[in-house]
Every structure is written in structure tokens, then in C-alpha cells.
Amino acid sequence: MNTLSRLFALSALSAVVIAAPVRADDIKAGDLVISQAWSRATPSGAKVAGGFLTIENKGAAPDKLVGVSAEIAGKADVHEMTTENGVMKMRPLDKGLVVEPGKTVKLAPGGYHLMLQDLKGPLKQGEKVPVTLEFEKAGKVVVSLDVQGVGAQAPGGGGTMMKKMPDHSGMKM
Ligand SMILES: [Cu+2]
């Protein structure tokens, strides 16, 4: 290897490192980066729970979320929530959820979400629930849903606040 190609290899390497500022929580799968996976605690006896996350496609081709499964759920789907004549409705996305190249798709309350059904047990605040996502191109990806409080509307709700205050970890709830 001559000096020039050595230099080139070195700079290419550092470029890769700089171009991928992935946070510790982020999960990379092929061209996809999945982050902020979370859910909400369920009241006892509840049979369904929603799952929320952010999918970013850093590649040049579209990918598609075609399936979801979880140990804790007998059945899981990708759902879409819409408001029709003032009534909130949700339905499974039979054809999957497309993530266009260069775009970010957010699954959040009131919109797209993972629907965990036939729950085998409650989701408890502070727990991490493993869920397997299946993408057409990126394949199967396991993510952990960070379980927040019952009324949480976003990740980083009550559960995360508690974790950031170790002094209060012995506090009774
Ligand atoms: Cu749903």
C-alpha cells in the first residue's frame, strides 16, 4: 500500500466514524436506525398495549416494516390510528409501513403504533420489553420498549425521570 492509498484509507475510516453519531440507545440495522422505543404501563387485566418508536432510513432505498412479534404478546401488529368523523379508529397496516430513504417515521400515540395483543402479563413501569420488528430489507431487529407510566405521551416521561434521580430510588411509589 503506498502512502497515498494509506492516507485515503485512514480518512475514509475517520469519515465513517464521524458520519455515524449513533447514541447508545439507538439500534442500527442495515440502513435503518431505530430509537426511542417505548411503551406504557398497562393496568392489571389489560390485554393490549401500544408500542412506539422512531425509524430513520439513512439508505438510498425504501424499506418496509412488515411484521412485529413479542414474547409478552400472543399477537402483534403494526397499526394506524385515524380520526373519522370525530371518532378515533385504528386498523392494522396490511401492506406494512414504508420508510422512505432519507426519511424518519415516528410511531407515536395518536398515529402509527405497534399493537401488542393477548398480553400474557402487565407491562410494568421501568421494565424493558423486547419486541422483534421485521423489515423487508433490514430483516429482523430486536428492540426494547422502555415502559413509561400509564399516562405517558412521549418517551422520557415519569419512568426516565426516576432513573435520573438515583437519590430517590428508594422512594415508595
Ligand atoms: Cu392499535
Side-chain angles (χ1 to χ4, degrees), residues 79-81 90-91 113-115:
H79 273 191
E80 177 182 37
M81 189 174 265
M90 56 184 180
R91 61 180 179 91
H113 55 279
L114 306 179
M115 197 82 203

Side-chain angles (χ1 to χ4, degrees), residues 123-137:
L123 272 63
K124 298 195 187 92
Q125 187 170 348
E127 277 184 348
K128 291 205 177 263
V129 176
V131 167
T132 304
L133 306 173
E134 192 175 347
F135 292 94
E136 207 167 62
K137 293 199 181 73

Side-chain angles (χ1 to χ4, degrees), residues 5-6 10 52 55 126 134 140:
S5 58
R6 209 181 286 261
L10 253 174
F52 313 103
I55 307 165
E134 192 175 347
K140 289 192 174 173

Side-chain angles (χ1 to χ4, degrees), residues 2-172:
N2 62 35
T3 314
L4 200 65
S5 58
R6 209 181 286 261
L7 253 175
F8 178 75
L10 253 174
S11 59
L13 191 71
S14 55
V16 167
V17 173
I18 293 163
V22 175
R23 285 175 303 138
D25 303 304
D26 295 355
I27 291 167
K28 280 207 76 182
D31 290 328
L32 303 180
V33 179
I34 298 155
S35 59
Q36 302 199 312
W38 67 286
S39 185
R40 287 184 191 128
T42 54
S44 61
K47 283 289 163 202
V48 295
F52 313 103
L53 45 90
T54 301
I55 307 165
E56 186 181 357
N57 186 349
K58 290 178 177 285
D63 204 342
K64 197 192 277 183
L65 176 59
V66 290
V68 53
S69 61
E71 191 64 42
I72 198 168
K75 180 175 155 46
D77 289 307
V78 183
H79 273 191
E80 177 182 37
M81 189 174 265
T82 53
T83 308
E84 284 167 35
N85 302 323
V87 182
M88 297 258 267
K89 286 184 177 169
M90 56 184 180
R91 61 180 179 91
L93 284 179
D94 299 327
K95 290 176 185 145
L97 177 58
V98 177
V99 187
E100 298 290 350
K103 293 268 161 49
T104 299
V105 172
K106 207 167 180 174
L107 280 72
Y112 297 121
H113 55 279
L114 306 179
M115 197 82 203
L116 309 180
Q117 295 144 84
D118 301 333
L119 289 182
K120 292 167 186 166
L123 272 63
K124 298 195 187 92
Q125 187 170 348
E127 277 184 348
K128 291 205 177 263
V129 176
V131 167
T132 304
L133 306 173
E134 192 175 347
F135 292 94
E136 207 167 62
K137 293 199 181 73
K140 289 192 174 173
V141 186
V142 178
V143 300
S144 293
L145 303 179
D146 217 336
V147 181
Q148 309 287 330
V150 176
Q153 287 297 312
T160 306
M161 292 280 285
M162 290 306 247
K163 268 187 269 162
K164 282 179 184 160
M165 297 189 290
D167 291 354
H168 294 77
S169 56
M171 197 164 79
K172 291 207 172 66

